[in-house]
Amino acid sequence: MKHLPLLLLLTFIIGGCASSRRLSENVHQQDSVGIRVETRIEYVPDTVFIEIPAQTSERETADSTSHFENDYATSDARINPDGTLYHNLKTKPQKKPVEFEKPVERKDSVIYKKKTVTETEIVKVPRDLTWWQKTQIYGFWVILFILVIIYRKKILSLVKWLI
């Protein structure tokens, strides 16, 4: 008889009701990543240096004067002993700056990610209790009633003591 309350407590703990179970579950996920590449060409002013090659030219004339000159050359003239004029033209090796529009290609990449949407729908299906669950529910009240009858004197003394 001393072990009866402990035995009943263990019975209640072992045979307790379980949590509800899921019958079906629908999961919908959406994830989207996009990459957009934009390419554009811009014309930027730039300077390029053109190299002018060295050139040589000569001529003889019966005239007493001769003159050669341009932006890129020098000229020498002289009268030869036979009375002819010797003229020498030499270009100066140099680089001439020339401006032009240089095409520059620019690429921009835009990466965008749409939000991940996760929707979970839990469908709970009501079901009837099994015979064991019904027995546990009704048996609890029966055992509680029996325990109250058996320990009624102790319960009444405890209630009086608390009041």
Side-chain angles (χ1 to χ4, degrees), residues 29-76:
Q29 289 185 343
Q30 179 181 358
D31 192 13
S32 177
V33 175
I35 299 174
R36 188 178 69 202
V37 178
E38 291 181 2
T39 304
R40 65 177 185 261
I41 297 176
E42 294 180 2
Y43 291 94
V44 178
D46 198 3
T47 303
V48 84
F49 290 93
I50 299 173
E51 187 168 337
I52 298 173
Q55 298 176 359
T56 304
S57 107
E58 298 178 357
R59 104 177 177 179
E60 289 186 20
T61 181
D63 196 4
S64 64
T65 62
S66 179
H67 181 68
F68 285 126
E69 185 176 346
N70 63 16
D71 292 339
Y72 310 108
T74 60
S75 162
D76 292 325

Side-chain angles (χ1 to χ4, degrees), residues 139-154:
F140 169 75
W141 295 110
V142 171
I143 292 173
L144 185 64
F145 181 71
I146 293 171
L147 285 176
V148 167
I149 292 175
I150 293 173
Y151 295 108
R152 69 180 177 270
K153 289 183 183 178
K154 290 185 179 182

Side-chain angles (χ1 to χ4, degrees), residues 91-154:
T91 60
K92 304 175 212 173
Q94 59 182 324
K95 293 185 178 180
K96 170 93 173 140
V98 177
E99 291 186 5
F100 76 104
E101 296 288 322
K102 178 181 178 183
V104 176
E105 182 176 319
R106 299 193 190 275
K107 289 185 179 182
D108 290 334
S109 298
V110 177
I111 300 173
Y112 56 93
K113 180 178 180 181
K114 289 185 180 177
K115 231 178 188 181
T116 302
V117 178
T118 304
E119 298 174 5
T120 304
E121 180 183 347
I122 298 172
V123 179
K124 291 188 177 182
V125 178
R127 60 182 178 143
D128 293 334
L129 296 175
T130 63
W131 69 271
W132 176 246
Q133 290 172 335
K134 290 178 185 177
T135 306
Q136 286 178 331
I137 292 171
Y138 295 124
F140 169 75
W141 295 110
V142 171
I143 292 173
L144 185 64
F145 181 71
I146 293 171
L147 285 176
V148 167
I149 292 175
I150 293 173
Y151 295 108
R152 69 180 177 270
K153 289 183 183 178
K154 290 185 179 182

